Amino acid sequence: MNKREGEGCPRRNADAVQDREMSANPSSPVIAAFKVFQQELDTKHDKYERLVKMSRDITIESKRTIFLLHRVTSVPEAEDVLSEADVKLDGVRQKIGQIAEELRGEDIHQFHRAFTPGIQEYVEAVSFLHYIRHRSLISLEEINARLVFMRAEKGAAETMPLGSQVLTFQVTPSDYLLGVADLTGELMRMCISSVGNGDIDTPFQLSQFLRQIHDGFSYIGNTGPYEVSKKLHTLRQSLGKVEDACYTLRVRGSEIPKHMLADVFSSRTTLIDPEEGVV
Amino acid sequence: MSVTEMFSYIQGFLSADQDIREDIRKVVQILEQTAREILTVLQSVHQPSGFKEIPSKCAKARELFCTVRTQIADLKTKFPVEQYYRFHEHWRFVLQRLAFLAAFVVYLESETLVTREAVAHILGIEVVREKGFHLDVEDYLAGVLIMASELSRLAVNSVTAGDYNRPLRISNFINELDSGFRLLNLKNDPLRKRYDGLKYDVKKIEEVVYDLSIRGLAKESESGGAK
């Protein structure tokens, strides 16, 4: 069977090529229609790629801001670091403004997958900063309120006679939720490092805050998007670590002089860590 | 706003979202039922006796498309129109099926490729996103690709039924379709996967044409048609 087919192949291919050349004449309505589809699809894919790139930039900048914020505990003037983080986040907001620009007149959900990682990272950074400053959880409205962009006045006046336009970007509740879930990981790191600096109040505040967030996530449970249930597991682990740290502080804190606390804690974490590596 | 308040606000949003999805799912289920009925009507063209009845089958299918129009109109009321893509996944499959059925009916009637506008018209929806519930270009193309594999089957069955001329016409049509799809720059997405199957349909039809031509059957039926 196969042999016969193989012999027939060259001839048939030649026929097919001929057919194709005949049918590929540009005046055919089918070809004309597909040329339109080609343009439409290319435009859409280009836009998608641009959004992915912006999202990556946002992710990188937000991550850098988070690293910067972790330095708060080790620096005497926290306010300097915080204002620097503010400047960085302003830069990130500019980029989100570009996304909003790109999405003007589009259905935001059509391209949502392109930029959701960046937005989640931004939520994480902005809520981390908010926590360090106000010791509370930033609300979705507060985040969205800052994502209102006026089109740059200079550029707008020249190119667009319409003048300044207001563009808004809405973080979806599920993006917010996933960003907050990531935030808990950062809070756990902050807790451990603040103990290292001999700060005894912060861990207790953090454990309380984390517990509230954990309760909130348990309340939502599996009604949320699929990713939430995955993050809930990590959240439990973070909470466990923070609660352990508080426990150690409470038990050992009364026995040992304050200046030696860091040593006690670090020796305890080295005891814990290998165990976790096994589990 | 306290943490608890924030989370109960989000919980409220999520459950509202789920309610909408539930409503959509119900309507889509009914729509899928109608799509299956149309498919059953059209499947009979593969029967030897069905070849003569193509016009009446198409008319019957067109009647059923009226039901589809009212069901889609119902679907439109279930969610805010600007959030089409938020729930797109729910009806994507059935819309591709319906696009295929519409394209198949039009092909059987006139042996031409249905335009996107015509499909949208048959389904009672829009072409442009701004105007409301619309037919996404990728869904339209997916529907056309489903039709291509149906046509390769039709080519085989029309030979069995003694219609030696139809495969040649189908072959020309599919080749034109193939060169059309070759113009597109597809990404690595579901549409691309489906397009990768088109070459097998093309191959299948070419084999049928080849079998007919080495036996002189194609010529015979042409002269038969001329009589």
Side-chain angles (χ1 to χ4, degrees):
Chain A
M1 265 318 237
N2 276 337
K3 256 192 187 154
R4 221 186 71 195
E5 269 181 22
E7 280 163 21
C9 236
R11 235 192 80 192
R12 262 185 297 162
N13 275 353
D15 279 354
V17 168
Q18 246 184 4
D19 279 352
R20 228 163 254 146
E21 272 162 10
M22 268 158 56
S23 58
N25 66 331
S27 58
S28 136
V30 174
I31 300 300
F34 274 87
K35 285 219 169 102
V36 178
F37 299 148
Q38 179 195 44
Q39 278 211 327
E40 195 175 335
L41 285 174
D42 283 352
T43 320
K44 203 164 110 185
H45 292 162
D46 287 350
K47 191 183 272 282
Y48 191 87
E49 288 308 320
R50 283 199 299 276
L51 285 169
V52 168
K53 194 167 171 299
M54 288 174 198
S55 161
R56 291 192 65 90
D57 289 346
I58 290 172
T59 309
I60 293 166
E61 269 308 295
S62 303
K63 272 205 174 21
R64 283 187 187 149
T65 312
I66 291 168
F67 276 113
L68 176 73
L69 286 171
H70 273 301
R71 270 169 239 151
V72 163
T73 43
S74 54
V75 172
E77 300 106 74
E79 205 39 55
D80 285 356
V81 178
L82 291 184
S83 54
E84 196 186 333
D86 264 336
V87 173
K88 266 185 185 286
L89 283 181
D90 274 335
V92 175
R93 270 192 283 277
Q94 290 295 315
K95 293 207 172 73
I96 296 180
Q98 288 171 16
I99 288 191
E101 186 93 8
E102 198 70 64
L103 288 176
R104 185 215 312 261
E106 299 283 348
D107 185 333
I108 173 168
H109 297 96
Q110 186 175 11
F111 298 98
H112 186 239
R113 276 175 40 160
F115 56 82
T116 174
I119 295 302
Q120 284 175 31
E121 206 66 33
Y122 169 73
V123 170
E124 183 180 345
V126 98
S127 57
F128 193 34
L129 176 61
H130 185 90
Y131 179 77
I132 291 174
R133 209 170 250 161
H134 306 286
R135 304 278 148 168
S136 66
L137 180 66
I138 193 169
S139 74
L140 183 57
E141 283 87 7
E142 279 173 88
I143 291 180
N144 279 335
R146 275 197 238 170
L147 296 176
V148 177
F149 308 96
M150 304 294 276
R151 274 178 60 89
E153 295 286 337
K154 313 165 249 166
E158 285 157 20
T159 54
M160 287 216 158
L162 299 165
S164 68
Q165 280 173 300
V166 182
L167 271 179
T168 55
F169 184 89
Q170 297 282 313
V171 175
T172 64
S174 30
D175 279 346
Y176 171 78
L177 209 55
L178 294 169
V180 170
D182 290 336
L183 167 71
T184 58
E186 302 307 326
L187 293 178
M188 183 270 290
R189 286 176 58 189
M190 182 180 163
C191 167
I192 303 298
S193 64
S194 66
V195 177
N197 290 314
D199 182 352
I200 319 173
D201 295 333
T202 308
F204 290 102
Q205 285 173 7
L206 276 169
S207 77
Q208 208 185 350
F209 184 62
L210 274 181
R211 231 169 273 145
Q212 281 177 353
I213 291 185
H214 175 260
D215 294 349
F217 271 100
S218 328
Y219 175 57
I220 282 174
N222 53 7
T223 54
Y226 163 70
E227 298 98 314
V228 169
S229 40
K230 271 198 303 187
K231 297 212 168 171
L232 194 57
H233 180 68
T234 334
L235 172 55
R236 280 233 166 81
Q237 281 184 331
S238 302
L239 182 62
K241 277 182 201 168
V242 171
E243 284 176 341
D244 265 357
C246 289
Y247 167 83
T248 316
L249 282 176
R250 184 68 75 208
V251 174
R252 312 292 299 273
S254 55
E255 301 167 1
I256 294 168
K258 291 260 188 298
H259 66 273
M260 284 176 68
L261 260 178
D263 296 339
V264 173
F265 195 80
S266 56
S267 63
R268 187 179 154 83
T269 42
T270 46
L271 268 177
I272 292 170
D273 276 340
E275 271 175 48
E276 278 172 350
V278 177
V279 176
Chain B
M1 195 182 244
S2 81
V3 176
T4 325
E5 277 167 4
M6 195 60 228
F7 273 94
S8 69
Y9 164 74
I10 290 195
Q11 158 67 27
F13 169 84
L14 289 174
S15 55
D17 186 75
Q18 279 197 330
D19 289 347
I20 297 179
R21 282 175 200 276
E22 202 55 49
D23 282 353
I24 291 175
R25 230 169 271 146
K26 272 182 208 145
V27 183
V28 166
Q29 235 165 34
I30 302 169
L31 206 52
E32 275 170 351
Q33 175 64 33
T34 319
R36 277 197 298 271
E37 277 168 30
I38 300 176
L39 186 63
T40 318
V41 168
L42 292 178
Q43 282 299 315
S44 59
V45 300
H46 291 290
Q47 301 289 342
S49 57
F51 279 89
K52 289 157 223 129
E53 294 164 19
I54 285 177
S56 71
K57 297 286 175 201
C58 288
K60 209 171 161 197
R62 286 220 179 233
E63 269 171 44
L64 284 167
F65 272 116
C66 293
T67 327
V68 169
R69 276 196 286 275
T70 56
Q71 283 162 359
I72 288 184
D74 190 24
L75 178 60
K76 283 179 199 167
T77 63
K78 300 295 177 205
F79 64 97
V81 69
E82 71 279 2
Q83 300 186 358
Y84 180 90
Y85 283 99
R86 186 161 144 210
F87 307 108
H88 190 194
E89 288 306 316
H90 291 292
W91 57 74
R92 177 167 237 164
F93 176 78
V94 71
L95 206 56
Q96 289 178 359
R97 283 261 127 184
L98 289 168
F100 147 61
L101 293 167
F104 196 38
V105 167
V106 169
Y107 179 80
L108 289 174
E109 283 169 353
S110 61
E111 309 220 334
T112 54
L113 176 66
V114 68
T115 59
R116 191 172 156 206
E117 287 75 16
V119 177
H121 183 73
I122 291 173
L123 301 179
I125 56 181
E126 301 292 338
V127 178
V128 200
R129 187 181 66 83
E130 281 79 6
K131 284 190 186 154
F133 195 99
H134 67 287
L135 180 65
D136 191 88
V137 66
E138 292 186 30
D139 290 341
Y140 163 75
L141 292 173
V144 170
L145 286 172
I146 303 176
M147 178 183 66
S149 50
E150 193 66 23
L151 286 181
S152 77
R153 218 186 121 207
L154 186 67
V156 172
N157 288 331
S158 58
V159 173
T160 319
D163 184 348
Y164 299 138
N165 222 342
R166 188 178 287 272
L168 298 181
R169 296 201 304 271
I170 292 180
S171 169
N172 280 336
F173 179 73
I174 294 276
N175 274 324
E176 200 174 7
L177 214 55
D178 187 41
S179 41
F181 270 99
R182 221 167 277 195
L183 288 175
L184 305 179
N185 308 310
L186 297 174
K187 288 215 304 183
N188 208 1
D189 57 4
L191 186 61
R192 159 77 186 278
K193 268 181 210 130
R194 196 156 252 158
Y195 163 69
D196 287 342
L198 181 61
K199 58 176 179 278
Y200 300 109
D201 301 327
V202 172
K203 181 166 177 265
K204 180 100 196 169
I205 296 171
E206 280 174 1
E207 271 167 12
V208 172
V209 171
Y210 170 73
D211 281 341
L212 290 176
S213 52
I214 55 163
R215 289 171 180 81
L217 287 171
K219 294 263 169 54
E220 195 179 284
S221 73
E222 256 168 41
S223 59
K227 267 183 229 169

